[in-house]
Amino acid sequence: VLAGIDALDESEEEREAAMESALLAEAPRLERSLSLLGALAAVSPLLGLLGTVSGMITTFNTISATGMGNPKLMSGGISEALITTELGLIVAIPLLLIHAWLRRWAERREAMLEYDAIQIFGLQEEGK
């Protein structure tokens, strides 16, 4: 809105360009941490999978060293595999939901800013 006010004495095209420029500058501020949040949501299950592989390697090393006669010796590796998988999912699922919610919030906010600018200054969008 301030960009539109600053360009009040300009032509409608120049005012519209100033408003569009201001809206484009605002978008990165609204979305600044979304990529990091999305990356964390994507990496968390992979870290859980890495722990699963590590736990299974531990289990197979135990089996190769002692045989399958003592299940208690194998349980440590299996436990490691299950716990890391669980923790990866515990982190990933909420982050994925939060990321989706925040992305939608930013999109709604951008649309609202554009709508308000059009309403306040009576700018016409071509093709719409």
Side-chain angles (χ1 to χ4, degrees):
V1 173
L2 290 176
I5 292 171
D6 289 341
L8 272 177
D9 56 342
E10 305 291 332
S11 69
E12 183 174 337
E13 291 81 23
E14 290 172 335
R15 189 171 57 241
E16 186 173 356
M19 301 272 302
E20 186 67 29
S21 176
L23 287 170
L24 288 173
E26 188 67 22
R29 290 182 59 224
L30 291 172
E31 299 173 1
R32 68 177 162 242
S33 298
L34 287 178
S35 60
L36 175 63
L37 196 59
L40 290 173
V43 167
S44 298
L46 296 174
L47 291 174
L49 181 60
L50 179 63
T52 300
V53 171
S54 172
M56 295 310 294
I57 290 170
T58 301
T59 301
F60 286 120
N61 284 339
T62 302
I63 289 172
S64 68
T66 63
M68 293 189 57
N70 190 349
K72 283 187 177 184
L73 292 176
M74 292 186 292
S75 66
I78 294 170
S79 176
E80 177 185 334
L82 293 174
I83 288 171
T84 56
T85 301
E86 178 185 36
L87 290 176
L89 293 173
I90 285 172
V91 170
I93 292 169
L95 283 178
L96 200 57
L97 294 172
I98 291 168
H99 178 263
W101 182 80
L102 287 174
R103 175 162 301 286
R104 183 65 188 128
W105 178 84
E107 288 171 359
R108 282 193 318 263
R109 186 81 170 160
E110 289 172 25
M112 183 188 72
L113 289 172
E114 188 171 345
Y115 176 80
D116 289 346
I118 290 168
Q119 292 299 311
I120 290 171
F121 294 100
L123 301 174
Q124 299 296 318
E125 288 191 351
E126 294 179 22
K128 290 187 180 181

